[in-house]
Structure formats: structure tokens, C-alpha cells
Amino acid sequence: MTLLYIKKEFNFALTAFIAAIVMTTIIFGMVNFANASNDDFNQWLVGFKDQALKQGISQKTLDMAFKNVRPLTKVIGYDRNQPEFNRTFWTYLNNGVSKARITRGRKLLLKHKKLFAKIYKKYGVQPRFLVAFWGMETNFGDYTGGMPVIASLATLAYDQRRRDFFSKELIHALHILDENHINLKDMQGSWAGAMGQTQFMPSTFVNYAVDGDGDGKKDIWNSLEDIFASSANYLSEIGWDGGKTWGREVKLPSGFDLELIGNNIKKSLSYWQKIGVSRANGNDLPNVDISGSIILPAGHKGPAFMIYDNYNAIMIWNRSHSYALSVGHLSDRLNGKGALIAKKPIGEKPISRIKIIDMQTSLNILGFNLGKADGVVGMMTSEAIRNFQRIYDLPADGYPTIDLINSIISRAKDNKK
């Protein structure tokens, strides 16, 4: 038996052991939740109702909304359990910006042309972006979620993990019922309480939803006028500029300084042009007086994008670069533009969450202090990876390839010896 074989067997066993711990934690948490007595939930509910009354919710709405409501174990399962693999940028993009979605989105743009023109005139949000959000969120209203919003939010508000956040969302949901915008039976959404054809959380609804069709209700489930007016109002309020686009694919010059990447670094287009950044096809950048940032969602070997202020508004809607880039690219395809020039690498595979957790744990061991290992590559993890890359003279793009992950894990093991 070779030393290499023993090492492979050890790594396989370690990964399986970590996976077993994660799964056991998920199952144990669900069992504990399921075993919580109705008395515990009812006691919590009494206190919650008292707070809701003080915040203006009517007794009638409380009695109606919480009749026969019990915590939903299924919701806790969704909250605790994460997909086994992280989707790559290319997988996310190809799923989000499919040929079928582009074709259907273009037809819907034409079908509702008059409505979109009216919305654009009032709120200044281009129709192609509204359709892109609509497509990305629910596939144009096909999948809005079939979970009872009040019961789901009550479950998450009763649970300890994010009680404060979901308690506030539950209060907002009760306000929506109190104002008769939707009846309880039809108040369906995702397991986490996102609602309607563009998936507003209750707080987003309360702050930004509008009555687009003038019937006295804000119906983001069924009324296209309300759905698009609410979505456009939200985007407008968080800084959308109807005279500008989201960004574009670009080409970086040889030897580009990777310390210049990141949506926190903004430079004028003339600056980027001067140092050799061009459109993806090699043509000059637009000769306009605006600033942009450069991001590399798949690392320095993947596509590069110049992003503008509207991109940051998309990130407020959903704080995922893959989501924001998919919305932007889908809006371009709806407008007649072509596919990205950069191509998906052959043989690309997703990385398991267990592997990401192992990497995050190793980065913490090495002193990069990214916080709790959760299997999600967020901003703190990306910055920790970049710091690792800087120290070891690697291209500092913050992107976790499998080779880089293995290197980080290996150095952490050496560090513990």
C-alpha cells in the first residue's frame, strides 16, 4: 500500500466524517425542533401577539392569522439544509439565462409593451430589467412558492437561529393582511416568506409595494400592474438610473493588476481605457463620463465584467454576484445582444460544501479569521482567500479553485504539526 494511497484514503475518510457531522447536526436540530412541545410554541405565540398588538396589528387579524398555526418542521429543514454542491458561475448563468427564458421574455416584453412603457415613464426602470427580474425570480410567475407565509414566518420567528429578523418580517406580513391586500388563504410564498411574482419579503412589500391598477390593493401575486409598479418603485428607491445600463463584459490587458478588482474600487471609464481595459470584443470602452468597477466571478481565468451603479442596486435586491450578473446578462439578451464572448471551461465541476467548509476551517487555522465555516463563499471568505493568495504570491482573485482549496487545506495541516 503506497503512501499516496493512504493519504487519499485518509482525506476521503476525513471528508466523509465532516459530512456526517454536518448531516447529524441538521437532523438533530430538526428532531429537537419537532419535539418542542405545543406549549412552548403557544407560550412564545402569546408573547408575540402582545408585541403585535402594540405595533398596531388588530386582534381580528391575529385571531384569523394564527388559527391552528403550528411550527412547520419542513421549514426548519429547508433553513438548516443547504445544497450539497455550490453551483459554479457558469452553471448559475446558463440556468438563469436559458434559450427558453430569453425567447419567452422577449415575447412578454412585446405582449405587455404598453404597460412597461407606462411603468418606465413613471419610475424610470427599463422594461428589459423588469422582465429579467421577473424571469429570474419565478420564471415569469410560474413558481411563486406554495408555502403558507404566516406559518412559515411564525416557524422561523419561533426558532432561535434568526428570531429577530423573522419576527420583524412576521409583523410586516400581518400588516399586509390587516390592510386587506391579500387574504390569508392566498398569502403563499417561499419557505422563508418571499412572496409574489418578484418574490418580495414582507418588509420590502410594506416599504415599496404600490397599487399600480388603482383597485385599492397591492397585489404582487396576480396583478401585473401592481407587480411591475412595485418592482420598479423598489428599484427606483434604491438608486436605479433609468438612463444607464448595469455593466458589460470586458477584456483585461496582459499583466492586469488584480488588486484593482472588486466592486468597492471605482474608476472612470477613461482610466480603465488608459490602462488597457476594453470591451470584450476588443473595441474601446464607451466615451462617457461615468465610473465603473471590475469583477471576476470565476477568477482571473474566467470572464471579466465592468459594473456600474445599477449593478449595485441589483445586489441590494439579491446579494449574489451570480444572480446580479444573470439579471444583467438576461436583460441584455432580451434586448437583442449576444452571448458572452468568454466560454465555459471544459470539465468544470462544482465544489462540494463540505470541501468549502474544510477550506474555511483551514483558513481560520492559518489565521485569516473569516468567521464561521458555513460552506458558502461570501465576501469574508473571498477576502480571506485573496489574503492567502497575496502571501503565497498567487494571483489574488479570491476565487477558490479545487487546486487552491487543496493547497490551503494542506498548509493548514502542516501548520498543526
Side-chain angles (χ1 to χ4, degrees), residues 40-53:
D40 290 339
F41 178 76
N42 289 336
Q43 184 177 355
W44 168 82
L45 190 55
V46 168
F48 178 83
K49 286 180 177 179
D50 286 342
Q51 292 299 315
L53 283 169

Side-chain angles (χ1 to χ4, degrees), residues 34 71 87 107 146 148 161 173 189 207 217 224 230-231 254-255 263 341:
R87 283 189 290 175
K107 291 178 180 178
R161 197 168 84 85
N207 290 318
K217 296 183 178 182
L224 291 182
S230 297
S231 300
S254 177
N263 51 341
I341 290 179

Side-chain angles (χ1 to χ4, degrees), residues 46-157:
V46 168
F48 178 83
K49 286 180 177 179
D50 286 342
Q51 292 299 315
L53 283 169
K54 292 175 182 177
Q55 296 186 50
I57 306 299
S58 71
Q59 186 66 56
K60 179 181 177 182
T61 292
L62 290 173
D63 292 341
M64 176 265 299
F66 290 111
K67 184 179 180 180
N68 300 323
V69 166
R70 291 291 179 267
L72 305 175
T73 304
K74 180 190 294 187
V75 169
I76 297 303
Y78 287 134
D79 185 56
R80 299 293 193 269
N81 194 12
Q82 299 290 339
E84 183 180 359
F85 290 94
N86 284 277
R87 283 189 290 175
T88 67
F89 163 76
W90 287 106
T91 299
Y92 195 107
L93 184 80
N94 290 338
N95 287 342
V97 192
S98 64
K99 290 182 179 179
R101 187 165 289 171
I102 294 167
T103 300
R104 187 176 174 192
R106 288 173 177 171
K107 291 178 180 178
L108 289 167
L109 269 171
L110 290 174
K111 181 178 180 180
H112 303 294
K113 184 177 180 179
K114 290 183 178 179
L115 173 58
F116 286 128
K118 175 184 174 183
I119 297 292
Y120 178 66
K121 183 177 180 180
K122 184 169 183 178
Y123 297 102
V125 179
Q126 304 94 314
R128 63 188 177 103
F129 285 102
L130 292 176
V131 175
F133 278 107
W134 190 24
M136 286 295 299
E137 289 292 347
T138 63
N139 199 40
F140 312 112
D142 289 349
Y143 312 108
T144 58
M147 299 290 289
V149 169
I150 296 299
S152 296
L153 291 174
T155 300
L156 294 166

